[in-house]
Amino acid sequence: MIYFTAIFFAILSIIFGMLGIGGGVVYTPFQLFTGTEYDTAATISLFLITVTGLSSAFIYKKASLIDLKLVAVMETFTVSGSFSGGFFSHLIPDNFKTWLFSIVLVLAALTMLFFSEEKIRKTIAPKFYHWKRVYDDKEIYVNIIILVIASFFAGAFSGILGIGGGIFKIPVMIVLLGLPTKVAFASSSLMVGITGFGGFTGRIFHSVINWKATLLYAAAVMVGSFVGAKISVKTNKEKLRKLFAYFLIAIAVVTFVKNFV
């Protein structure tokens, strides 16, 4: 079963690498399906998210798609939220975590389906709390207040649920901050890697994991995420984003049915 899981994760990590998402939406529920206890599954998931995110970020950085300054600011608040969520996650009942996991997946999927950067980006008069970013000669003014609050809560959710936070931060960056899709996906890959590490360090105090199996999974997702990121650089992001939104809904339904039906 361990080797099957490694192969399965390697294949799926290609998709995650393409979309700048850490993979916790699958890593955690699949381990639950195989009988792993929630907190252990979430801890292993966060470790794999770290590997997936940083591996794909290496490719995106070479393609000059990552906004490093944006990542630095967002992660300052996301990591603190992720550590807090991971540290206190053992106090939250598993059933509530599963409910929250399913609901958040559906909301993130609907956001990706019905909103895009073109729909929400508007010409605004910059205020003192706006931060000018320039992508492909286009000026975009990022609301710092929204950035700080959304980043912290995205990190807290990721630490509690054992996911990297990409499913939260990508909609935030596109819908709330108005960033280009390609920048959101690429920057997310680096951020989920950092956030995943923050959540992992918070959870490791309360979890016992099989390191032999975990390192095998990590090697598999590293290869897959490299491949996925290389494909993504040349792929239409809008189509991938919508396809993955349906995938998020499917995962939410499967998780809900398994635990409550």
Side-chain angles (χ1 to χ4, degrees):
M1 190 64 185
I2 291 177
Y3 293 103
F4 172 79
T5 300
I7 294 172
F8 181 61
F9 283 174
I11 294 171
L12 288 176
S13 65
I14 296 175
I15 300 174
F16 304 142
M18 292 171 67
L19 296 173
I21 295 176
V25 292
V26 170
Y27 297 150
T28 297
F30 185 78
Q31 290 180 88
L32 295 178
F33 180 77
T34 61
T36 305
E37 188 266 338
Y38 193 103
D39 282 336
T40 298
T43 303
I44 295 174
S45 175
L46 285 165
F47 182 74
L48 299 181
I49 288 164
T50 303
V51 175
T52 300
L54 297 183
S55 297
S56 56
F58 177 78
I59 302 299
Y60 286 123
K61 180 62 175 64
K62 290 179 65 177
S64 300
L65 292 176
I66 297 178
D67 185 338
L68 291 176
K69 291 183 178 179
L70 180 78
V71 169
V73 174
M74 289 189 73
E75 283 306 282
T76 298
F77 300 96
T78 304
V79 169
S80 60
S82 179
F83 181 86
S84 299
F87 188 80
F88 292 107
S89 63
H90 67 291
L91 301 176
I92 302 174
D94 285 355
N95 282 347
F96 180 79
K97 292 176 187 176
T98 305
W99 271 99
L100 186 62
F101 190 89
S102 299
I103 292 171
V104 168
L105 287 185
V106 171
L107 291 177
L110 292 177
T111 301
M112 290 184 179
L113 279 174
F114 296 110
F115 291 90
S116 67
E117 60 193 74
E118 290 80 11
K119 289 182 180 180
I120 54 87
R121 187 179 299 146
K122 300 177 181 179
T123 301
I124 63 173
K127 304 290 193 305
F128 71 93
Y129 52 83
H130 284 116
W131 181 23
K132 184 174 78 172
R133 312 303 300 142
V134 180
Y135 308 110
D136 294 330
D137 298 324
K138 294 182 179 179
E139 294 184 354
I140 296 174
Y141 292 90
V142 174
N143 188 315
I144 292 292
I145 298 174
I146 293 176
L147 182 153
V148 169
I149 295 174
S151 296
F152 180 85
F153 280 102
F157 276 124
S158 72
I160 292 171
L161 300 176
I163 57 181
I167 62 170
F168 309 122
K169 283 181 282 190
I170 287 176
V172 164
M173 286 188 284
I174 295 174
V175 178
L176 298 181
L177 302 182
L179 301 182
T181 297
K182 64 179 182 179
V183 175
F185 282 171
S187 298
S188 173
S189 66
L190 178 56
M191 287 191 283
V192 296
I194 299 172
T195 303
F197 182 74
F200 173 74
T201 55
R203 276 184 170 272
I204 196 63
F205 296 106
H206 312 294
S207 302
V208 177
I209 63 177
N210 182 342
W211 278 107
K212 181 179 179 181
T214 301
L215 292 176
L216 177 62
Y217 300 158
V221 303
M222 179 182 293
V223 174
S225 56
F226 267 125
V227 174
K230 285 182 175 292
I231 295 173
S232 181
V233 170
K234 301 179 181 179
T235 301
N236 184 300
K237 301 294 192 303
E238 285 296 308
K239 291 181 179 179
L240 290 173
R241 182 169 61 86
K242 291 181 178 181
L243 286 174
F244 195 70
Y246 292 117
F247 184 66
L248 291 180
I249 293 175
I251 293 297
V253 171
V254 170
T255 303
F256 180 83
V257 169
K258 178 182 182 297
N259 287 275
F260 298 107
V261 176

